[in-house]
């Protein structure tokens, strides 16, 4: 008599995932959405870059701030969310033995909710009713349909969060005394942080709907800004944990090495979950109404994230050195030559990891009270964002595609596609260096962000920015070329590559590694500690904003 499907999944997860098209189709749907969104957002990014450099004029029906808003929402929110869900659900299913039927339904429900939300948000932007940028906080007000669309997006993400929580608890009940596979542990940490980190911004959006409808005369601007950045700060680090899941889990396998320490990786996840949500005020350093002591607390919490990041840097370079020496690397740096630089699955995330070094250093500058006064409203911040997200995160996402897409599609990564991936990685890296590098430099000269092309009456200082803006335009052109190549690669691997078996690389611990302690699985404790730290950082200032706040602001439309 044949075993029930759930028992087969538990006995042989690797085999069943290859057969289980239901789980694979969920990832395909989310990943397809992600890369269609990336293409649209990339085109908008090029238009924005050329307009900013004064190299083109947008048509009358489309203005710079519409493009800027759509570019931010589509790439920062929709592309990253869709990729994260598609990637994590695939690896989660693979490592814990498949998704429960009700979890699949929750994933598809989430997919539908996100699509509805995207349609509503994009429609309002196209009708020029929501040029409020990615941050969308008051006093600028969008159409209520825009905020309702955001609610749908959040509900879709939450549906996926609860799907992971349900499947994780089911696995734990059936595997008492065992530690969760490392990839599934990363997944659990990411969705815990995503759910709790989005509570504040969800409340903010719900208060903005009646305000934008005219049912409520004013809204507390400081509360809204603070709730947004409690999420905005957290979201950036959610992407970082998603990228680091590939660094920790896949890279050791791809380079023929072993995990540095399974326990260390889990401690990094726990620390990032506990420490991440506080820190939002470092985005509000120049805001009035926040005491210096509160700002300092948030700066400290922001900088504290450097500790698990440094642990990651140490662990990853140790893994690579061990693997390189294992394969014959001699001398101080001979091990570098033994790494698989010709494999795009390694090359792309390796460049991403290297980029995280200047990206992290720039983050420390942004977090510093005195230096932030100089660069806060300049293109420096935009350059920093593109280095950290556009290289460290997105280039890791691109590298993941070259094993994830063949795996879920039961196709092969051909040598030709690997070569195309290397070309894409180089094009993307050069484009981002040109664009983000020029943004950093011209930001130090005072070139403002969130601003369309202007010479300020041919002022000498403004005219000195133009050569840097030309370089930004060249970089943006290369980045769109990189996006086109990547989107082609994704859909080729998904639907047209030769049929075959592909591996989802899962690194293994050293043979003499100590067992991973079971206390790392105490998610109830980590969540309680996280909420305590959040309360410490936010309760006092938010109460102060409410009790001693200004009368509030009515909706303002500046376009």
């Amino acid at each position: 008599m044949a075993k029930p499907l759930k028992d087969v999944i538990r006995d042989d997860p690797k085999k069943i995932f290859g057969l289980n098209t239901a789980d694979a189709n969920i990832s395909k749907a989310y990943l397809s959405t992600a890369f269609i969104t990336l293409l649209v957002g990339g085109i908008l990014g090029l238009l924005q870059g050329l307009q900013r450099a004064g190299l083109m004029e947008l048509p009358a029906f489309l203005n710079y701030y519409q493009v800027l808003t759509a570019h931010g929402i589509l790439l920062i929110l929709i592309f990253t969310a869709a990729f994260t869900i598609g990637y994590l659900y695939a690896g989660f299913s693979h490592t814990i033995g498949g998704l429960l039927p009700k979890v699949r339904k929750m994933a598809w429900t989430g997919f539908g909710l996100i699509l509805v939300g995207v349609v509503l948000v994009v429609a309002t932007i196209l009708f020029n009713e929501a040029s409020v940028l990615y941050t969308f906080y008051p006093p600028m007000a969008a159409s209520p349909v825009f905020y309702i669309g955001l609610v749908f997006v959040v509900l879709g993400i939450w549906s996926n969060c609860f799907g992971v929580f349900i499947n994780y608890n089911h696995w734990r009940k059936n595997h008492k005394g065992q530690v969760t596979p490392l990839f599934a542990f990363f997944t659990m940490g990411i969705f815990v942080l995503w759910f709790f980190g989005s509570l504040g911004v969800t409340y903010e959006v719900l208060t903005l709907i009646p305000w934008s409808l005219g049912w409520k005369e004013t809204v507390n601007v400081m509360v809204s800004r603070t709730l947004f950045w409690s999420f905005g700060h957290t979201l950036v680090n959610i992407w970082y944990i998603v990228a680091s899941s590939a660094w920790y889990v896949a890279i050791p396998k791809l380079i023929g090495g072993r995990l540095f320490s399974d326990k260390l990786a889990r401690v990094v996840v726990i620390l990032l979950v506990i420490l991440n949500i506080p820190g939002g005020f470092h985005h509000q350093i120049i805001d009035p109404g926040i005491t210096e002591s509160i700002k300092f607390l948030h700066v400290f919490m922001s900088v504290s994230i450097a500790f698990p990041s440094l642990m990651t840097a140490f662990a990853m370079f140790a893994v690579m050195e061990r693997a390189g020496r294992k394969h014959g690397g001699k001398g101080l740096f001979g091990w570098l030559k033994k790494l698989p630089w010709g494999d795009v699955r390694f090359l792309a995330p390796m460049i991403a990891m290297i980029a995280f070094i200047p990206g992290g250093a720039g983050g420390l500058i942004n977090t510093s009270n005195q230096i932030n006064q100089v660069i806060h409203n300049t293109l420096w911040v935009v350059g920093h964002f593109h280095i950290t997200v556009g290289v460290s995160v997105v280039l890791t996402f691109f590298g993941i595609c070259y094993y994830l897409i063949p795996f879920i599609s039961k196709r092969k990564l051909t040598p030709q596609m690997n070569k195309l991936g290397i070309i894409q990685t180089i094009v993307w890296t050069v484009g981002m260096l040109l664009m983000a590098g020029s943004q950093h430099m011209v930001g130090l000269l005072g070139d403002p962000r969130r601003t369309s092309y202007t010479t300020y009456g041919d002022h000498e200082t403004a005219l000195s920015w133009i050569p840097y803006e030309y370089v930004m335009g060249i970089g943006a052109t290369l980045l769109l070329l990189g996006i086109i190549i990547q989107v082609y690669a994704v859909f080729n691997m998904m639907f047209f590559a030769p049929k075959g078996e592909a591996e989802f690389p899962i690194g293994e611990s050293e043979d003499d590694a100590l067992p991973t302690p079971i206390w790392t699985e105490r998610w109830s404790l980590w969540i309680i500690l996280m909420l305590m730290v959040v309360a410490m950082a936010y309760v006092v200032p938010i109460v102060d904003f409410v009790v001693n706040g200004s009368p509030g602001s009515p909706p303002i439309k500046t376009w």
Side-chain angles (χ1 to χ4, degrees), residues 323-379:
R325 295 196 184 283
K326 175 183 173 183
H327 291 93
K330 305 294 183 183
L332 186 60
F333 297 110
W335 55 274
L336 282 168
K337 299 178 182 179
K338 298 298 180 179
L339 298 177
W341 298 101
D343 187 342
V344 66
R345 300 172 300 172
F346 167 75
L347 178 65
M350 181 62 179
I351 294 174
M353 284 187 276
I354 294 171
F356 196 65
I357 298 172
L364 294 176
I365 291 172
N366 297 348
T367 308
S368 170
N369 184 36
Q370 292 84 354
I371 304 178
N372 186 277
Q373 308 292 326
V374 177
I375 54 87
H376 184 85
N377 281 318
T378 74
L379 278 172

Side-chain angles (χ1 to χ4, degrees), residues 48-49 51-54 64-65 373-384 435-456 459-473:
Q48 177 190 333
Q51 167 82 7
R52 179 60 193 255
Y64 179 82
Y65 299 99
Q373 308 292 326
V374 177
I375 54 87
H376 184 85
N377 281 318
T378 74
L379 278 172
W380 165 283
V381 175
V382 182
H384 164 73
M435 190 180 76
S438 61
Q439 287 170 337
H440 275 89
M441 289 187 284
V442 79
L444 292 177
L445 298 177
D447 198 352
R449 58 183 172 131
R450 302 191 181 107
T451 304
S452 182
Y453 175 75
T454 177
T455 62
Y456 294 94
H459 191 280
E460 180 182 356
T461 300
L463 292 176
S464 72
W465 302 334
I466 293 178
Y468 296 95
E469 293 173 345
Y470 286 167
V471 177
M472 286 165 46

Side-chain angles (χ1 to χ4, degrees), residues 295-309:
K295 289 180 180 178
F296 179 80
L297 172 64
H298 279 248
V299 167
F300 176 78
M301 296 304 299
S302 300
V303 174
S304 69
I305 299 172
F307 290 101
S309 298

Side-chain angles (χ1 to χ4, degrees), residues 214-364:
W215 300 347
K216 183 179 178 182
E217 290 186 8
T218 63
V219 69
N220 190 313
V221 173
M222 283 304 300
V223 171
S224 294
R225 288 173 65 88
T226 299
L227 293 176
F228 175 86
W229 280 119
S230 71
F231 164 75
H233 170 73
T234 304
L235 185 61
V236 174
N237 289 294
I238 287 172
W239 304 329
Y240 160 57
I241 307 174
V242 175
S244 64
S245 71
W247 302 348
Y248 273 105
V249 177
I251 292 297
K253 182 74 171 180
L254 292 171
I255 64 177
R258 298 290 187 95
L259 297 178
F260 176 77
S261 168
D262 187 88
K263 177 182 177 181
L264 178 142
R266 293 167 197 264
V267 170
V268 165
V269 173
I270 293 168
L271 287 175
L272 289 172
V273 168
I274 293 173
L275 299 175
N276 238 313
I277 297 177
F281 281 146
H282 90 254
H283 292 269
Q284 298 174 256
I285 282 179
I286 67 170
D287 280 13
I290 308 172
T291 65
E292 288 185 2
S293 59
I294 291 294
K295 289 180 180 178
F296 179 80
L297 172 64
H298 279 248
V299 167
F300 176 78
M301 296 304 299
S302 300
V303 174
S304 69
I305 299 172
F307 290 101
S309 298
L310 290 171
M311 292 166 66
T312 297
F314 173 80
M316 292 314 304
F317 280 99
V319 165
M320 288 186 279
E321 182 176 2
R322 285 180 178 180
R325 295 196 184 283
K326 175 183 173 183
H327 291 93
K330 305 294 183 183
L332 186 60
F333 297 110
W335 55 274
L336 282 168
K337 299 178 182 179
K338 298 298 180 179
L339 298 177
W341 298 101
D343 187 342
V344 66
R345 300 172 300 172
F346 167 75
L347 178 65
M350 181 62 179
I351 294 174
M353 284 187 276
I354 294 171
F356 196 65
I357 298 172
L364 294 176

